[in-house]
Amino acid sequence: MATKRQYAKDLSEEPEPKSSKHLHSDTTDSNRSSIMSTEYATTEVTYHSKFWGPYLSDRQWGTVREDCSADGDCWNYLSHEDATSTVYKFGEDGLFGISDDRCLFCACLGVWNGVDPIIKERLFGLTGPQGNHGEDVKELYYYLDNMPDHEYMKALYKYPQSEFPYQLLKDENKERTCKETEYEILDTGVFDEEKGYWDITVEYAKDVSGSIVCCYTVYNKGLSEATIHVLPQFWFRNTWCSCSSGDTKCQKPSVSKVCVDSIEIKYELGNFTIQFSKADDKSKPVLLFTENEDGDTSSPTASDDMYFKDAFHKILINGCDLINRKQMGTKCAAVYKLTVPPGGSQCVYWTLYPSGYSSKRLGISSHVSNIVEARKQKYDIFYDEILPQYLSKEEKNVARQAYAGLLWNKQYYHYDVQKWRDSPVVYKGDNSVDIQDENGDEVKEEKSAKILMQERFPGDDDSEHVEKTSSEAETKMTEKVSKTEASSVEMESAELKSSENSDTSDVEQLETDSDSEPDFVDIEVSCKEYVPERINKEWQHMKNHDIISMPDKWEFPWIPAFEFDFGAVNPPIHGWSCLKVFRNTGSTDFTFLKKCFHGLIQNFTWWINKHDPNNKYIFDGGFLGLDNISVLDRGRQLPQGITLEQADATGWMAFYSLTMLEMCLELSRDDPVYCDLCIKYLNHFNRIATALNESIQNGGLWYEDLEFYCDVLVDSNNVCRKEIQLKSLVGIVPVFASSVLSPELISIYPELVSHLCLMCQENSPYIYQHEQFCFKFGKKKVTVNYCPGESDCNMYGGNSNWRGPIWLCMNYMIVDSLQTYYKAFNSEFKIPCPSNCPDSSDMSLMEVIKDISRRISTIFLPDSSGRRPLHVTRQVGLRLLQNFRDTSTDDYKKTRKNDHFLF
């Protein structure tokens, strides 16, 4: 057994961690070299290499899974402001945060500039209703480095030294219409040179099994000396209170003070010790403790049961005496107050190791610096090996930040739809409600507000105030509930819309919440009882609990399509992704491929049965991730009897069929039983391709006049067919359905050869040949009027984050498909160049592939003046965005072009 620290308890006295399969690693971790081998002993518990990772969401607030409102307004139910004090049910969030792979224990950066109304501990952004182009994060942050097992991670956050413009961003965007540009944080002037700002880099590194160390470095980018508070924060996701519906209630964990610079963590996945460094002035941090629980912490004094989630805000900013003198709880912060000269920097270090390791305590700062530097060198070697040698230094910089963004955007995602639907509904702001007595007659619950006020403030005799509050709120709730009782609730883009004939006879009693604010009552009632129809009714079998790679942990902190409507499908490319993983890892993990394939069989069948409305192998699917690709909103229900046959949906299903065919052939190498399924998916592809390539008059989607695939509106009798005459990526998706079957695969099942025939026309030249689709930086998504970057309409919330003339994912699919065609035709097949190409000669498909790839890369690479096109989209704030001061040099006045981008 390892030598214990003198202040630690004997390990035999501590509870053993629950046996958990995910705790124990294979030989990967046991063979990992550690620069601490002479300083730390080993323990009996080992953890897999990805036990700690960047699994915290950037935004848990404002999500459907945290919404307990009756009207489905998740944005207003739990806002950014509410997140400081409200306990989450299904996850956590934080600024550049990490957690274990079950998100039970979390850590993140917290900072305060001395003037903000709250500690900066999560990213701020506008909600969907607040933004003139929908929801949008209003921060400057960058993911710089990351490794697949998260041995080394680095990120950068830019924080104003003046007050963060929370309200200004809300007010200015509220005044703007969708025809105007967004009001960004650079427009506010908080990053102007005379005001100053902080560059804060966060670096994580791993040492031995189960450990992680961290370095926060703050750079003063102002012209004068400035002070900043840095708060490394640690807490447990609340799984022990009844308010946390995400998990079965478990034993309450604890974080407690061990000595002046260390704390001890105890919970079901193990026991750990965290040590903190001294500041540059040799001062030690102040350790604060509270509970990750809900409550009002505004009282000047606190009893044992009044330490809540927002206590650190109240203590540091408001000076409230809410310090837990027991020095323990479920949430902890180490508070550093750093004064930094202009151009200077200071570092804060902390380490986390499993309890049982014994340190010689040579100094936390030097110890962390050594580990970080060693892991950074390993990081550099790793990417030097996997990135092509022909890439330039700038191209490698772009690629590494792209990988960093992909890996940083891993997120613990937990959402049990049935538990969420059965969780209590909370009405905030009303004190009375229409209910029914024994005879079913409506009565008013008028005393609930009085009772609540008396319970909260037993010495308060201000009955007049109570009566007034109750009366005013009664009117509001009467109107709301009466309206609800007169309607059934249907979800449409996260809004519950009313219709007639709702039956609320099963509502028998409404209970008031005694912990609500004194000026309103939170009334809870079962969602299942009170709201007959809530969103995702057909998805109650969904119980998500895993680490998922998100496209963006702030914009999309949920799985596709989205929580507002899981039935709104995205393109079925998951089979293609699984096949890519199988082939890119040696084509030998048949267990992985079989597991994927068996799940995909059900999904493929669901698509065939659900999205072929006329049973003729022509498919629909709604917006399919291409939200503003058409002249109509493809996600909304059409008039009764009208259906929309979609070229992209049909193309995706042809693509899906070929993917399943290829998976069958791969699996047949290991098990011949899969051979017979090859014919099934080949026949599906043949039928889809045949139907797709028929002219519109003959029931297909090929429009002769445009020589292009188009969406078609069809009446209930399938007689009147009207094409949507529009050239967009919708009509290019069918080209993705291509495959070159190698002789090796075909030889596994000779009978397949007799079934092969020419099944699709060669449309690949059309993608590149027509200048409508050829753009300086890649392939445009649509050739009708579009608004680069920001939409001028409110379709899908008017959000601009996924709007613009170029979609990288679709360009990647185009390049991948062209590579397939190149395998078939080689260099002999050439196509004419678009008229806006500098080279007017014919090009081979490989030359086309390289040219499209070059155009895409140009978005991120500096031009002859050193500016990158992605930073030249707007004039306001351009100077600042292009010329942020360099954080890697001691000469703070030296500037260089901005080399950072957010993927």
Side-chain angles (χ1 to χ4, degrees):
M1 181 62 66
T3 306
K4 314 296 186 298
R5 293 188 176 92
Q6 59 180 353
Y7 51 78
K9 295 181 180 179
D10 190 281
L11 192 63
S12 61
E13 298 177 0
E14 299 174 349
E16 289 291 329
K18 293 182 179 180
S19 59
S20 178
K21 182 179 179 180
H22 79 279
L23 282 179
H24 302 287
S25 68
D26 52 22
T27 57
T28 303
D29 275 305
S30 60
N31 294 334
R32 179 192 288 183
S33 61
S34 169
I35 65 173
M36 290 295 292
S37 56
T38 59
E39 189 173 344
Y40 278 78
T42 60
T43 64
E44 295 180 349
V45 180
T46 58
Y47 299 83
H48 64 77
S49 60
K50 298 178 183 178
F51 179 73
W52 300 111
Y55 308 139
L56 275 190
S57 174
D58 286 343
R59 176 171 64 84
Q60 186 73 9
W61 59 271
T63 59
V64 172
R65 61 187 179 277
E66 296 294 340
D67 179 23
C68 287
S69 67
D71 58 2
D73 186 0
C74 60
W75 288 118
N76 289 320
Y77 175 77
L78 207 169
S79 65
H80 178 268
E81 293 81 358
D82 297 330
T84 62
S85 58
T86 303
V87 172
Y88 295 129
K89 293 177 173 59
F90 289 101
E92 290 290 342
D93 60 16
L95 182 59
F96 297 150
I98 63 169
S99 74
D100 59 61
D101 60 0
R102 288 173 57 187
C103 198
L104 294 177
F105 183 70
C106 313
C108 81
L109 168 67
V111 288
W112 184 52
N113 55 17
V115 292
D116 279 355
I118 57 173
I119 297 169
K120 174 64 67 174
E121 56 187 1
R122 60 180 54 81
L123 295 173
F124 169 75
L126 300 181
T127 67
Q130 289 173 341
N132 64 321
H133 293 283
E135 67 268 25
D136 187 32
V137 61
K138 301 297 184 184
E139 302 268 17
L140 293 178
Y141 64 106
Y142 306 92
Y143 300 127
L144 303 182
D145 296 321
N146 211 319
M147 295 183 69
D149 60 357
H150 314 301
E151 272 195 275
Y152 177 72
M153 301 183 285
K154 184 178 181 180
L156 169 66
Y157 178 67
K158 293 181 178 292
Y159 185 44
Q161 291 180 2
S162 56
E163 184 174 351
F164 193 94
Y166 293 110
Q167 195 60 44
L168 179 60
L169 287 165
K170 292 180 185 178
D171 294 342
E172 286 293 330
N173 280 282
K174 182 179 180 181
E175 295 298 321
R176 299 193 178 195
T177 68
C178 60
K179 303 290 184 181
E180 299 175 273
T181 60
E182 295 180 18
Y183 187 71
E184 304 290 1
I185 190 170
L186 284 174
D187 302 330
T188 66
V190 293
F191 288 102
D192 289 349
E193 186 175 30
E194 63 274 10
K195 292 187 177 181
Y197 64 93
W198 300 97
D199 265 2
I200 306 171
T201 61
V202 176
E203 292 180 280
Y204 294 103
K206 294 181 180 179
D207 184 20
V208 295
S209 173
S211 69
I212 191 164
V213 303
C214 181
C215 172
Y216 301 143
T217 307
V218 294
Y219 299 87
N220 184 352
K221 298 300 174 181
L223 302 177
S224 58
E225 184 178 79
T227 299
I228 185 173
H229 293 75
V230 179
L231 295 82
Q233 297 192 82
F234 308 87
W235 72 98
F236 292 101
R237 177 164 63 90
N238 192 318
T239 59
W240 57 90
C241 289
S242 58
C243 63
S244 178
S245 61
D247 299 86
T248 303
K249 292 171 62 176
C250 62
Q251 183 177 359
K252 189 174 182 178
S254 68
V255 51
S256 57
K257 182 177 179 179
V258 176
C259 65
V260 292
D261 63 354
S262 66
I263 58 177
E264 189 171 31
I265 309 301
K266 292 185 178 182
Y267 73 123
E268 61 183 272
L269 300 185
N271 301 333
F272 299 86
T273 300
I274 298 175
Q275 289 184 280
F276 303 99
S277 67
K278 297 179 181 179
D280 284 3
D281 61 0
K282 306 304 179 182
S283 63
K284 295 181 180 180
V286 176
L287 300 181
L288 301 178
F289 297 84
T290 188
E291 302 290 346
N292 186 24
E293 297 177 7
D294 288 326
D296 177 16
T297 58
S298 60
S299 302
T301 59
S303 60
D304 291 345
D305 60 347
M306 290 190 66
Y307 303 112
F308 301 113
K309 180 179 178 178
D310 61 348
F312 303 154
H313 299 265
K314 301 294 185 181
I315 294 171
L316 188 62
I317 299 173
N318 300 335
C320 297
D321 182 12
L322 297 172
I323 298 176
N324 187 339
R325 291 171 176 79
K326 291 184 177 180
Q327 301 288 278
M328 63 182 299
T330 51
K331 183 177 180 180
C332 173
V335 183
Y336 292 82
K337 185 177 181 180
L338 309 178
T339 300
V340 187
S345 65
Q346 286 197 40
C347 297
V348 169
Y349 305 90
W350 55 263
T351 65
L352 183 152
Y353 281 87
S355 297
Y357 285 100
S358 176
S359 169
K360 296 181 180 180
R361 302 173 67 82
L362 299 178
I364 298 299
S365 58
S366 59
H367 164 57
V368 174
S369 297
N370 291 339
I371 295 177
V372 168
E373 183 60 31
R375 296 301 173 237
K376 189 173 182 179
Q377 292 177 8
K378 184 177 180 180
Y379 169 87
D380 292 335
I381 294 172
F382 172 78
Y383 279 104
D384 284 342
E385 292 177 350
I386 69 170
L387 293 177
Q389 295 302 311
Y390 60 78
L391 294 181
S392 67
K393 182 179 179 180
E394 286 290 355
E395 289 172 331
K396 288 183 177 180
N397 176 41
V398 174
R400 285 170 61 148
Q401 289 191 56
Y403 280 118
L406 180 69
L407 294 168
W408 267 99
N409 276 292
K410 286 185 178 181
Q411 177 188 319
Y412 170 81
Y413 184 79
H414 185 22
Y415 186 21
D416 186 320
V417 176
Q418 182 178 358
K419 284 186 177 181
W420 171 77
R421 284 177 56 86
D422 291 343
S423 62
V425 170
V426 178
Y427 295 93
K428 290 188 176 181
D430 297 281
N431 294 64
S432 63
V433 62
D434 290 337
I435 59 175
Q436 295 178 346
D437 60 14
E438 296 177 347
N439 301 321
D441 297 325
E442 292 185 358
V443 296
K444 298 286 186 186
E445 181 59 64
E446 299 178 341
K447 297 182 180 180
S448 58
K450 296 181 184 180
I451 296 173
L452 177 64
M453 297 287 284
Q454 291 170 359
E455 289 177 349
R456 289 294 305 275
F457 304 96
D460 188 356
D461 294 326
D462 190 3
S463 58
E464 180 179 353
H465 170 72
V466 176
E467 288 281 356
K468 182 178 180 181
T469 303
S470 177
S471 177
E472 292 175 349
E474 178 181 2
T475 303
K476 296 180 181 179
M477 179 55 80
T478 301
E479 293 175 355
K480 177 181 289 188
V481 176
S482 298
K483 184 177 181 180
T484 304
E485 290 179 345
S487 65
S488 64
V489 184
E490 178 182 357
M491 189 62 175
E492 183 81 20
S493 301
E495 295 180 358
L496 296 175
K497 294 188 175 181
S498 300
S499 60
E500 297 180 353
N501 303 322
S502 172
D503 180 12
T504 56
S505 60
D506 55 346
V507 181
E508 296 181 354
Q509 183 178 1
L510 301 177
E511 299 176 352
T512 60
D513 182 358
S514 61
D515 291 328
S516 59
E517 295 292 332
D519 57 345
F520 63 80
V521 179
D522 287 356
I523 301 178
E524 298 188 356
V525 62
S526 169
C527 295
K528 193 173 183 180
E529 295 175 353
Y530 192 72
V531 185
E533 296 294 336
R534 290 198 82 188
I535 63 175
N536 296 321
K537 179 181 180 180
E538 297 179 355
W539 295 87
Q540 297 187 61
H541 59 282
M542 184 175 287
K543 303 179 187 298
N544 299 286
H545 177 81
D546 208 344
I547 304 297
I548 299 177
S549 180
M550 301 293 181
D552 180 341
K553 290 198 296 186
W554 197 96
E555 182 64 50
F556 296 100
W558 47 62
I559 62 174
F562 40 41
E563 293 175 351
F564 294 112
D565 182 8
F566 284 126
V569 294
N570 272 325
I573 63 170
H574 29 309
W576 171 82
S577 303
C578 295
L579 190 59
K580 284 279 188 183
V581 171
F582 173 77
R583 289 174 172 170
N584 290 340
T585 53
S587 300
T588 57
D589 192 351
F590 292 103
T591 301
F592 164 78
L593 193 61
K594 287 179 181 179
K595 184 177 180 180
C596 296
F597 181 76
H598 284 263
L600 290 167
I601 290 176
Q602 299 179 55
N603 181 258
F604 184 91
T605 303
W606 179 84
W607 265 93
I608 291 290
N609 295 328
K610 181 75 173 179
H611 290 286
D612 180 10
N614 297 317
N615 297 316
K616 61 175 188 175
Y617 287 92
I618 299 290
F619 295 84
D620 62 20
F623 79 109
L624 279 175
L626 307 179
D627 53 356
N628 59 338
I629 200 67
S630 181
V631 294
L632 53 82
D633 187 345
R634 304 193 308 169
R636 292 190 178 274
Q637 187 174 356
L638 294 171
Q640 187 173 3
I642 304 297
T643 58
L644 179 66
E645 297 179 348
Q646 297 179 216
D648 55 340
T650 307
W652 284 122
M653 283 305 294
F655 176 82
Y656 199 177
S657 300
L658 283 183
T659 300
M660 297 295 281
L661 168 61
E662 292 189 60
M663 294 181 78
C664 285
L665 289 172
E666 292 284 5
L667 290 171
S668 297
R669 295 195 291 118
D670 181 66
D671 189 346
V673 74
Y674 290 93
C675 287
D676 292 339
L677 289 174
C678 295
I679 298 298
K680 170 185 174 180
Y681 292 108
L682 180 61
N683 286 337
H684 275 303
F685 172 73
N686 187 25
R687 291 169 183 147
I688 296 171
T690 300
L692 177 69
N693 284 289
E694 289 287 347
S695 66
I696 290 177
Q697 294 79 4
N698 294 326
L701 301 179
W702 179 254
Y703 188 44
E704 293 287 353
D705 293 349
L706 286 180
E707 295 183 331
F708 207 70
Y709 295 105
C710 294
D711 288 351
V712 178
L713 290 167
V714 185
D715 68 359
S716 57
N717 298 321
N718 200 23
V719 174
C720 180
R721 299 175 56 80
K722 180 59 179 177
E723 71 282 348
I724 298 177
Q725 298 182 22
L726 175 66
K727 287 184 177 180
S728 70
L729 283 180
V730 163
I732 293 178
V733 170
V735 181
F736 300 167
S738 59
S739 179
V740 176
L741 302 180
S742 66
E744 178 187 1
L745 287 178
I746 294 178
S747 64
I748 299 172
Y749 190 36
E751 292 83 353
L752 183 66
V753 178
S754 61
H755 293 271
L756 292 174
C757 62
L758 185 60
M759 292 180 290
C760 64
Q761 302 172 15
E762 303 299 343
N763 292 296
S764 57
Y766 198 92
I767 303 174
Y768 194 73
Q769 182 178 354
H770 285 252
E771 56 272 13
Q772 294 100 319
F773 291 99
C774 195
F775 190 52
K776 183 178 180 180
F777 303 117
K779 290 299 169 187
K780 293 189 291 188
K781 63 184 179 183
V782 64
T783 59
V784 293
N785 293 333
Y786 62 84
C787 304
E790 296 178 334
S791 173
D792 60 359
C793 69
N794 291 322
M795 187 185 297
Y796 286 92
N799 197 297
S800 64
N801 294 21
W802 55 78
R803 295 177 182 273
I806 302 167
W807 280 338
L808 299 187
C809 53
M810 295 299 286
N811 274 262
Y812 179 82
M813 295 300 298
I814 289 173
V815 169
D816 188 74
S817 299
L818 289 176
Q819 288 176 333
T820 302
Y821 285 109
Y822 180 75
K823 291 179 183 178
F825 301 124
N826 298 319
S827 299
E828 298 177 359
F829 182 78
K830 294 188 176 183
I831 61 174
C833 289
S835 60
N836 59 352
C837 248
D839 187 358
S840 59
S841 61
D842 292 350
M843 301 175 70
S844 70
L845 293 180
M846 182 52 66
E847 290 173 322
V848 173
I849 291 169
K850 291 181 178 179
D851 188 62
I852 295 177
S853 301
R854 177 190 59 79
R855 292 167 185 261
I856 293 294
S857 302
T858 303
I859 299 173
F860 306 97
L861 296 173
D863 58 20
S864 57
S865 66
R867 291 185 173 182
R868 303 174 191 270
L870 84 159
H871 289 157
V872 194
T873 56
R874 300 187 59 189
Q875 293 301 316
V876 180
L878 176 61
R879 175 183 61 83
L880 290 168
L881 189 59
Q882 289 286 351
N883 297 305
F884 273 124
R885 293 197 178 98
D886 186 2
T887 61
S888 62
T889 176
D890 293 333
D891 182 5
Y892 79 101
K893 293 183 178 180
K894 179 180 178 181
T895 62
R896 67 171 181 176
K897 303 304 179 184
N898 187 7
D899 291 335
H900 302 139
F901 1 91
L902 181 64
F903 284 97

